[in-house]
Amino acid sequence: MTTSALPKNRQQLILAVLMVCSLLIWLDNTVLSTTLETLADPVRGLDAGPAELQWATGAYTLAFATLMFTAGALGDRFGHRTVLVTGLVVFAGASVWAAYAGGPGQLVAARAAMGVGSALIMPADMAILMWTFTGPARSTAIAVSSTSAGVGMAVGPVLAGVLLGHFWWGSVFLVNVPVVVVALLGVVLFVPDFRSPVVRPLDPAGMLLSVSGLAALAYGLIRAGQVAAWGRTDVWAPTAVGAVLLTAFVLAELRARVPGFDPRLLARRAFGGGNAALGLLLFAVSAITFYGAFYLQGARGYSPLEAGLAGLPTALGAVLGAPVGARLVRRWSLRPVTVPALVVAALTMGAYGLFGLRTPLVRIEFLLLVQGLTIGMVLGPVTAALVSTLPLDRAGAGSAVTNTVRQTGSVIGIAVGGTIMSLVYRSAIEPSLSDAPAPVRDQARISAEQARHAAEATHRPALAHAADDAFVHAMHVGAVWIMCITLLGAAVLFAALRPDRKPGPIDHRAPTPHEGTHGKTKRNAV
């Protein structure tokens, strides 16, 4: 089916269905962040170590990031509704598998399968939106759709807290199933099967290189945190192999006649720079979220529900930030709004370096509100500006480029952020272990969670206090690095959105009703 003027009420129903599909992905991500502390518990969870928790998060994002461009091409070939339905079914089945995982290894595998489902859902979701709406209605639909992220961020942690307070940890994954059922009913009843008139070849070589390269790179980075050394062969070798494979992937895509992931798009200053800035932002968000989950529940001793409620200001800020940012961009253009917002977001992440074991909750809540507001002001407007430049006949694969860069940032953010935490924590806890028995020392070196359990089992309250202090110190060091990465993203965005001084300057404001949305006008020429 080609794009057509669907009735307005049909368009609204389609948008509602697509928001449910997007909500599913964001709901799952935020639910897991609240569950990490429980999964690390030897009694209530799976006794998962830091590296296993990094992989439980990273395996999902890895599959998500590396399969999206292939999923976009599948949608263009076989129909985006077909791919969307397939992704929802895979996601539901993998959620059941994760709920009943018998160990950390099974959970990691199930999370990877969930990532496959998400990779099928996201490009199809965006492509259907692009085909359904035209003109200024498309930018509005993208902005409205982005609010599902804020809703997922708000509902997910609280829902996880309620479920963990009454049921076992697997319930946080089973909750995905009824959401999938609602989404499937909506897709079947209201969504036409849009597909591209141009059939493009699939890209199995590119998919293999990207998956293996990113997996090897993530493995090396996470392994460094496990062994507390960069010079070991099992650290630098997979990291180097990953970098080589990813380089080969880019070269292969450049030589392909019809690439599934077109790196040439990233060579355009605004499009490439904007995506790079979003990738760095998602790097920082994933890392600081990883820290926050352990800070609130582990170091501060909050219950999952209390931690979920404490995170609500971030979600509220993100929900408000997207429309506020879009309105300000229409008035002042993209650069003067999003760059300062990204700088403020960086400072809020660096402010985690000021958090302690007795920091008043009201200060934390205010900081999280500002953080969510500024992140929303960046993600929504910049994503809308980038997506609106994509050719309609490559909507699925084109939007996958943007999503792949962002999810790759998340994968590396989790790996690097977790590794920094492990290395600094291990160094900080070591002086407190001199008089502890060898088994206690070995357990305490793994993580602060393991140290607390060892302290409780051996009646060593001083060890628990030392573990809390070591974790907070590690979070402080990591927060500084995360702030620097986010500031780098702001600098990249500032340079990418620099006005063109040649005749016919590029204006990065949202398109007006008299302008096209396919990248053919000066205002959209990214």
Side-chain angles (χ1 to χ4, degrees):
M1 178 177 180
T2 59
T3 184
S4 60
L6 295 171
K8 187 173 182 179
N9 61 339
R10 178 79 176 275
Q11 290 179 329
Q12 292 173 341
L13 289 170
I14 292 173
L15 179 59
V17 172
L18 297 180
M19 289 181 68
V20 172
C21 297
S22 179
L23 173 66
L24 180 71
I25 295 174
W26 284 98
L27 188 68
D28 179 74
N29 283 337
T30 52
V31 161
L32 180 66
S33 66
T34 307
T35 314
L36 291 174
E37 181 73 25
T38 301
L39 291 172
D41 193 295
V43 178
R44 297 180 298 126
L46 294 176
D47 193 20
E52 291 165 327
L53 293 176
Q54 284 174 272
W55 276 115
T57 305
Y60 169 90
T61 313
L62 175 66
F64 195 0
T66 55
L67 297 179
M68 272 195 296
F69 64 88
T70 299
L74 287 172
D76 289 341
R77 175 182 287 247
F78 299 111
H80 296 295
R81 184 180 69 175
T82 301
V83 172
L84 181 59
V85 168
T86 303
L88 289 169
V89 172
V90 170
F91 193 91
S95 296
V96 176
W97 182 14
Y100 293 101
Q106 289 186 25
L107 178 62
V108 170
R111 288 287 297 165
M114 292 174 71
V116 173
S118 295
L120 295 172
I121 292 170
M122 183 61 77
D125 186 286
M126 182 58 69
I128 291 170
L129 187 150
M130 295 279 287
W131 283 91
T132 301
F133 296 92
T134 59
R138 181 181 294 164
S139 295
T140 301
I142 292 172
V144 171
S145 179
S146 68
T147 61
S148 61
V151 174
M153 291 170 61
V155 174
V158 178
L159 179 61
V162 172
L163 292 172
L164 292 172
H166 295 83
F167 306 100
W168 96 114
W169 60 265
S171 61
V172 303
F173 297 109
L174 284 183
V175 75
N176 294 328
V177 177
V179 181
V180 169
V181 171
V182 172
L184 283 172
L185 287 174
V187 170
V188 171
L189 291 175
F190 304 118
V191 178
D193 198 11
F194 298 110
R195 70 182 67 197
S196 173
V198 179
V199 178
R200 296 182 297 115
L202 300 179
D203 188 13
M207 180 180 68
L208 180 62
L209 286 171
S210 61
V211 171
S212 56
L214 196 55
L217 181 62
Y219 175 84
L221 294 173
I222 292 174
R223 184 64 178 161
Q226 288 181 283
V227 300
W230 290 98
R232 290 179 42 153
T233 305
D234 56 350
V235 173
W236 66 259
T239 304
V241 168
V244 170
L245 289 173
L246 290 175
T247 301
F249 163 67
V250 172
L251 294 175
E253 295 300 291
L254 287 172
R255 294 177 180 178
R257 185 174 61 85
V258 185
F261 178 97
D262 192 353
R264 296 174 187 85
L265 291 175
L266 298 176
R268 301 166 69 184
R269 188 188 71 208
F271 187 84
N275 273 292
L278 291 182
L280 292 170
L281 174 59
L282 267 294
F283 174 108
V285 169
S286 62
I288 206 71
T289 302
F290 194 77
Y291 289 4
F294 293 104
Y295 170 67
L296 291 175
Q297 294 185 55
R300 298 296 296 264
Y302 290 3
S303 70
L305 179 57
E306 290 171 335
L309 291 171
L312 281 178
T314 304
L316 177 62
V319 171
L320 296 175
V324 169
R327 182 173 299 180
L328 292 176
V329 166
R330 284 194 295 269
R331 182 173 182 179
W332 289 318
S333 83
L334 197 60
R335 194 190 198 198
V337 173
T338 57
V339 173
L342 192 50
V343 171
V344 174
L347 296 178
T348 64
M349 294 177 189
Y352 275 63
L354 303 176
F355 289 175
L357 297 175
R358 294 175 179 82
T359 301
L361 183 59
V362 64
R363 294 184 187 176
I364 299 174
E365 298 296 273
F366 175 76
L367 191 77
L368 293 179
L369 176 63
V370 175
Q371 184 179 103
L373 184 67
T374 51
I375 290 173
M377 290 175 65
V378 175
L379 280 179
V382 174
T383 300
L386 296 178
V387 171
S388 293
T389 68
L390 300 173
L392 188 56
D393 61 351
R394 296 198 62 196
S399 63
V401 172
T402 296
N403 284 310
T404 298
V405 172
R406 290 167 57 171
Q407 294 303 321
T408 299
S410 295
V411 173
I412 304 303
I414 293 166
V416 174
T419 294
I420 291 174
M421 175 181 286
S422 296
L423 291 173
V424 178
Y425 164 79
R426 194 168 301 178
S427 175
I429 193 68
E430 196 64 39
S432 303
L433 302 178
S434 57
D435 61 342
V440 174
R441 288 200 304 269
D442 293 340
Q443 186 176 2
R445 289 187 184 113
I446 296 174
S447 68
E449 289 69 37
Q450 294 290 337
R452 294 186 196 102
H453 289 296
E456 183 179 359
T458 58
H459 307 290
R460 293 172 176 266
L463 177 58
H465 293 308
D468 289 339
D469 291 338
F471 169 83
V472 170
H473 174 64
M475 182 179 71
H476 289 173
V477 174
V480 173
W481 281 101
I482 292 169
M483 178 183 66
C484 292
I485 291 294
T486 313
L487 289 173
L488 175 61
V492 170
L493 190 63
F494 180 82
L497 300 181
R498 185 179 69 251
D500 196 339
R501 297 183 183 278
K502 296 179 180 180
I506 297 173
D507 188 343
H508 298 281
R509 287 174 292 178
T512 67
H514 302 291
E515 294 173 321
T517 55
H518 299 172
K520 298 179 180 179
T521 65
K522 292 178 182 177
R523 181 164 288 189
N524 280 334
V526 183

